[in-house]
Amino acid sequence: MNAPDLSCSTLLLVDDEEANLDLLEGILAGSGLGNLLRTQNPFQAVELARQHRPDLVLLDLHMPGMTGFDVLRALREMDEPGDYRPVLVLTADVTPEARDTALGEGARDFLTKPFDIVEVLLRVRNLLETRQLYLQARRATEARERILGVVAHDLRNPLASITMQSEMVLQTLSPRSSPYVRDALGNIQQTSGQMYRLVQDLLDVAQLEGAGGKTSVDLAEVDVHELLCTARGMLQPIAAGRKLTLHVDAPAGLRALADGARVVQVLSNLVGNAIKFTPTGGRITLSATADDACVRISVADTGHGIPQEHLPHVFGAFWQGDTADRRGAGLGLSIASALVAAHGGRMWVESEVGQGTTVHFTVPAADALVAVSAGRGGQMVEVLTSA
């Protein structure tokens, strides 16, 4: 990999001593390190950072009117979440407290005066290269999101149409229709349905990553038994085709504080996995119980089971076990886990090879006390205790 080009970088030099600025400018300009801005005024430094978005700030700590610590806080507040804009502190303060405070306020590196010129150049280059790599990664992510947007518009909807129309034609075929035509339409319906679900999973993962691994939920009081029955109704035809029994075991009147659509999505992923890995004639049970301030929902199957050494990896995106059905992308459990986490809940797996697998997850009970924070299009919650 070629080293990043640092000549187009913008550096902001902040020091109340003009001689220090002259020295730094001479060192950096002589090494071809980008465009240089300088100021002795810490208040102006904040404004210059806002206007020019420098790739690196070299900052003194002790200045009149506004300290370097104040500048660090102001820079951190103006940056977007997840942004990487490094600050190298250059100060005559050699105390551990100054170093620890500066690093705690967001500085990426710390050098004391008088400094070694070679060391300054090495630190500056390292920070600028990291900044450039960050920007390259962000551009790649933005390009991927644009591509996924095209996929969502130009691929997902036609696939849904193919699936729906092939199903409609299958239903209108007469018993005397050609078996070849019937089988071909069935294969078209099944394959397009699988492609549609894969595209939707990829879009869901992209959305989660775009939100920093978090997603939002719209909370309301829901009947848990009804949610389990809804999930069973959606997947019953697939289970019946595999000669599997879907059973719901939940007490009447059990209520949760949850996003009903998201919970059904979680259940759909879990039951879909269970259907894949449960042999013909097996049983899948959707159950729910009250659990302190939460409702625990479980999906248990009588399938092959998961080896113990695989359990720590099952929620990783794109992970698939040795015997996994390779028609999917290994995203279902990762998406389900993120949706449960958005409810302030947790998800875990219990399994024994040859005996089956049970996946448990929790959501807040209807009477739970929760902490709510704003999310994109909804809320993210944390369960505190029973009300």
Side-chain angles (χ1 to χ4, degrees), residues 245-264:
T245 302
L246 281 184
H247 177 65
V248 170
D249 180 15
L254 183 60
R255 304 187 72 79
L257 187 63
D259 185 325
R262 292 297 200 179
V263 172
V264 170

Side-chain angles (χ1 to χ4, degrees), residues 126-373:
N126 285 340
L127 291 171
L128 283 176
E129 287 178 1
T130 304
R131 165 72 173 173
Q132 292 302 317
L133 291 172
Y134 160 79
L135 292 175
Q136 290 175 17
R138 189 173 70 176
R139 287 192 291 269
T141 299
E142 291 171 350
R144 183 195 64 184
E145 290 177 351
R146 287 194 297 271
I147 292 171
L148 286 173
V150 173
V151 169
H153 182 269
D154 293 345
L155 185 57
R156 182 177 56 174
N157 292 340
L159 282 171
S161 178
I162 292 170
T163 303
M164 181 181 65
Q165 293 186 48
S166 59
E167 181 179 0
M168 291 173 59
V169 174
L170 271 172
Q171 292 174 351
T172 59
L173 287 178
S174 72
R176 292 177 294 178
S177 298
S178 166
Y180 172 79
V181 172
R182 186 177 295 276
D183 290 344
L185 283 170
N187 288 333
I188 291 171
Q189 180 192 15
Q190 182 180 26
T191 303
S192 60
Q194 290 169 356
M195 292 175 66
Y196 178 86
R197 288 189 293 274
L198 176 58
V199 169
Q200 187 59 55
D201 282 350
L202 290 170
L203 292 172
D204 285 344
V205 167
Q207 182 183 34
L208 291 173
E209 290 179 351
K214 299 179 179 179
T215 192
S216 58
V217 290
D218 293 318
L219 298 179
E221 190 172 322
V222 295
D223 186 301
V224 176
H225 185 272
E226 288 184 3
L227 293 181
L228 299 187
C229 290
T230 298
R232 180 184 60 183
M234 291 171 54
L235 294 156
Q236 181 64 46
I238 303 174
R242 297 282 294 269
K243 296 182 172 57
L244 302 175
T245 302
L246 281 184
H247 177 65
V248 170
D249 180 15
L254 183 60
R255 304 187 72 79
L257 187 63
D259 185 325
R262 292 297 200 179
V263 172
V264 170
Q265 183 180 357
V266 171
L267 288 168
S268 178
N269 275 321
L270 299 184
V271 176
N273 271 352
I275 289 173
K276 279 196 229 177
F277 302 117
T278 302
T280 298
R283 182 182 180 89
I284 299 169
T285 302
L286 291 72
S287 62
T289 58
D291 187 2
D292 293 331
C294 299
V295 173
R296 182 171 64 181
I297 301 173
S298 305
V299 175
D301 64 54
T302 57
H304 304 297
I306 304 171
Q308 292 298 307
E309 63 270 21
H310 289 174
L311 291 180
H313 309 290
V314 296
F315 297 121
F318 302 103
W319 184 88
Q320 298 186 62
D322 295 336
T323 59
D325 184 334
R326 297 293 173 172
R327 289 176 298 175
L331 296 170
L333 285 178
S334 175
I335 294 168
S337 179
L339 293 175
V340 169
H343 283 81
R346 66 188 186 98
M347 178 177 284
W348 69 101
V349 179
E350 297 173 352
S351 188
E352 184 177 347
V353 174
Q355 300 298 315
T357 300
T358 302
V359 183
H360 307 276
F361 68 93
T362 61
V363 293
D367 59 351
L369 180 63
V370 299
V372 180
S373 60

Side-chain angles (χ1 to χ4, degrees), residues 13 19-33 36 38 117 121:
L13 317 180
N20 290 335
L21 290 175
D22 290 340
L23 176 60
L24 284 173
E25 186 171 0
I27 294 171
L28 299 172
S31 300
L33 290 176
L36 303 180
R38 55 182 282 175
I117 292 176
L121 284 174

Side-chain angles (χ1 to χ4, degrees), residues 10-46:
T10 299
L11 291 78
L12 174 59
L13 317 180
V14 186
D15 197 304
D16 62 324
E17 296 289 340
E18 186 172 6
N20 290 335
L21 290 175
D22 290 340
L23 176 60
L24 284 173
E25 186 171 0
I27 294 171
L28 299 172
S31 300
L33 290 176
N35 307 307
L36 303 180
L37 305 170
R38 55 182 282 175
T39 180
Q40 294 175 253
N41 184 337
F43 295 96
Q44 186 183 33
V46 175

